[in-house]
Amino acid sequence: MAQWTSAVGAAQLARLLNSQQDRPAGPGTRRPPAYRALADGIRLLVLEGRVPVAARLPAERELALALSVSRTTVAAAYEALRAEGFLESRRGAGSWTAVPAGNPLPARGLEPLPPEALGSLIDLGCAALPAPEPWLTRAVQGALEELPPYAHTHGDYPAGLPVLRAMIAERYTARGIPTMPEQIMVTTGAMGAIDAICHLFGGRGERIAVESPSYANILQLMREAGARLVPVAMAEGLKGWDMDRWRQVLREAAPRIAYVVADFHNPTGALADEDQRRRLVDAARSAGTVLVADETMSELWLDEGVEMPRPVCGFDPAGSTVVTVGSASKAFWAGMRIGWVRAAPDVIRSLVAARAYADLGTPVVEQLAVNWLFGTGGWEQAVELRRAQARQNRDDLLTAVRRELPGWEFEVPRGGLTLWVRAGGLSGSRLAEAGERVGVRVPSGPRFGVDGAFEGYVRLPFTVGGAVADEAAARLAAAARLVEAGASGGGEAPRTFVA
């Protein structure tokens, strides 16, 4: 009986392998043998989670043809992977990926580190900050005071608590976008909202246009829902969207859904201007595409004088084209799993009806806590604390990275929680792997792309400051030296953490 649960085609694996670019070899440097480079490339894809564990690999002859190498090279690479525990085989069943005994399974998204690992590893994988106290405690206390009437009900509110739906609608109206409670559904975080939207509109095999790069966890959610992702390249630097590319994709590919982060884009930090927003809504309307606008970063401007454009839904107030997703997770605290959807009332009704087969509703206490924050002014004060902390962390991290890694390139965003960095010609995937050895966890660029794009990038979040930011940058510099040594034939470094 076969031990594999999925399969990777030869052409797909070849694309992923070809995306792994090292810096050019200098005079006198030694490249590893072809079979060793192939084995290392496949091992890295498994460790990154871009090739799943228990995925059947192509037959030797198929992969050799796709890579234009000899079958002997592929056979030797497979044998090396078997010897290292990254490949298992059985006659008649083929070969499938594995991880050696004792190694943790690779994360396919950007899950937070377990608390017990935080002492030995600096986590730059998760763009989330600790709770802004005392506002979390006050919000929960306020929620408990409002809880008794709800405790006498069944507690299931598939559309969300009426008081919170009304409060969120009032907040949109105050921003100049008239909104009724019937246009709001409360969800379990933004991920829950987007998952529901994808299942309603997407369907297996449907095209979804996404920014390239885009938020890694959303890309993975869409892949696992069976979507066909259509990447649309961002404009250079912090210029936001390339509207010529967006018009072309929407016209020619006719995706059912387009997913965008217009406010301090994750991972680049770009802020789309009003003209870009207007033109994208018009193009989506013409193409019959549902435009999903993720607003989770919209309140996290960090610099003075940032003028926020109108929300994307401001160019489609009735919600016939734009479906907006908001959340308390980034602006307040990731542990507050409250999100929401703003859309036309008929879309909300469809989402609510479909929810009966998913999670039935969002926890009542957390909804009451967010409602307390919105109703008392606590939200604004908590978010201001969050901005101040992220601003200081950003400035500390920039100083440390410029000192330790002067060859790395980036543009400084004026808001959000992430810095998108070109890593001086090094492979982001190899930096991520080396970082685990020296005690820093950093997500590589390909996690934010489609089919191996952005190999030369990493994403750094504004989640550490002060001495921790200094140490994180020092460990990244150590990881970079390991990658450079490996590219020059320096061999593997020991798999230990720096104390």
Side-chain angles (χ1 to χ4, degrees), residues 39 120 139 178 339 371 382 487:
S120 60
N371 190 66

Side-chain angles (χ1 to χ4, degrees), residues 117-137:
L118 293 177
S120 60
L121 199 61
I122 297 175
D123 185 10
L124 297 182
C126 187
L129 290 161
E133 288 286 28
W135 297 106
L136 173 62
T137 299

Side-chain angles (χ1 to χ4, degrees), residues 338-369:
I338 298 296
W340 52 86
V341 179
R342 181 198 180 276
D346 62 316
V347 172
I348 295 297
R349 286 193 293 271
S350 296
L351 288 170
V352 171
R355 193 173 192 179
Y357 306 100
D359 63 353
L360 292 177
T362 302
V364 170
V365 174
E366 284 86 340
Q367 291 187 71
L368 289 172

Side-chain angles (χ1 to χ4, degrees), residues 434-460:
E436 295 278 349
R437 304 180 204 171
V438 299
V440 61
R441 181 177 185 248
V442 59
S444 66
R447 288 187 178 274
F448 303 88
V450 176
D451 279 342
F454 308 109
E455 183 59 56
Y457 289 80
V458 293
R459 189 197 73 172
L460 304 180

Side-chain angles (χ1 to χ4, degrees), residues 184-461:
I184 301 296
M185 181 177 85
V186 180
T187 62
T188 307
M191 291 287 287
I194 294 169
D195 182 57
I197 293 164
C198 287
H199 280 89
L200 178 64
F201 291 108
R204 186 162 293 273
E206 289 281 2
R207 294 185 181 94
I208 300 180
V210 294
E211 298 149 326
S212 183
S214 187
Y215 178 37
N217 286 342
I218 294 297
L219 294 181
Q220 191 60 34
L221 181 156
M222 292 173 175
R223 290 187 189 102
E224 294 183 356
R228 297 163 60 190
L229 301 183
V230 182
V232 186
M234 297 284 288
E236 285 297 316
L238 298 176
K239 297 182 178 65
W241 298 326
D242 184 325
M243 287 311 306
D244 290 337
R245 288 173 177 164
W246 270 107
R247 279 196 302 269
Q248 180 182 1
V249 167
L250 294 179
R251 182 177 63 249
E252 296 178 359
R256 186 69 181 94
I257 300 172
Y259 169 76
V260 297
V261 184
D263 303 297
F264 307 120
H265 173 260
N266 186 353
T268 69
L271 178 65
D273 62 34
E274 286 210 6
D275 182 60
Q276 290 172 328
R277 297 169 190 237
R278 179 186 298 105
R279 292 164 64 192
L280 185 57
V281 172
D282 290 344
R285 184 181 294 114
S286 297
T289 296
V290 176
L291 184 60
V292 180
D294 186 335
E295 286 191 336
T296 54
M297 298 281 193
S298 63
E299 296 188 63
L300 291 177
W301 61 86
L302 304 182
D303 291 344
E304 297 294 334
V306 176
E307 293 187 14
M308 292 298 296
R310 270 190 295 170
V312 176
C313 61
F315 302 96
D316 178 50
S320 58
T321 296
V322 178
V323 176
T324 302
V325 172
S327 172
S329 297
K330 294 297 185 185
F332 185 75
W333 184 47
M336 188 69 76
R337 306 304 304 161
I338 298 296
W340 52 86
V341 179
R342 181 198 180 276
D346 62 316
V347 172
I348 295 297
R349 286 193 293 271
S350 296
L351 288 170
V352 171
R355 193 173 192 179
Y357 306 100
D359 63 353
L360 292 177
T362 302
V364 170
V365 174
E366 284 86 340
Q367 291 187 71
L368 289 172
V370 171
N371 190 66
W372 183 92
L373 288 166
F374 285 158
T376 62
W379 176 268
E380 285 72 21
Q381 296 183 64
V383 172
E384 184 54 44
L385 286 176
R386 170 68 74 244
R387 291 192 198 107
Q389 185 178 11
R391 184 185 306 118
Q392 185 62 57
N393 287 352
R394 179 194 64 178
D395 295 346
D396 291 347
L397 186 65
L398 293 177
T399 299
V401 170
R402 284 170 172 152
R403 181 182 63 248
E404 299 287 346
L405 294 151
W408 287 20
E409 303 171 54
F410 49 83
E411 291 192 37
V412 182
R414 304 190 68 190
L417 291 173
T418 57
L419 186 71
W420 187 235
V421 181
R422 185 181 285 112
L426 298 178
S427 160
S429 297
R430 285 173 167 78
L431 279 167
E433 184 188 17
E436 295 278 349
R437 304 180 204 171
V438 299
V440 61
R441 181 177 185 248
V442 59
S444 66
R447 288 187 178 274
F448 303 88
V450 176
D451 279 342
F454 308 109
E455 183 59 56
Y457 289 80
V458 293
R459 189 197 73 172
L460 304 180

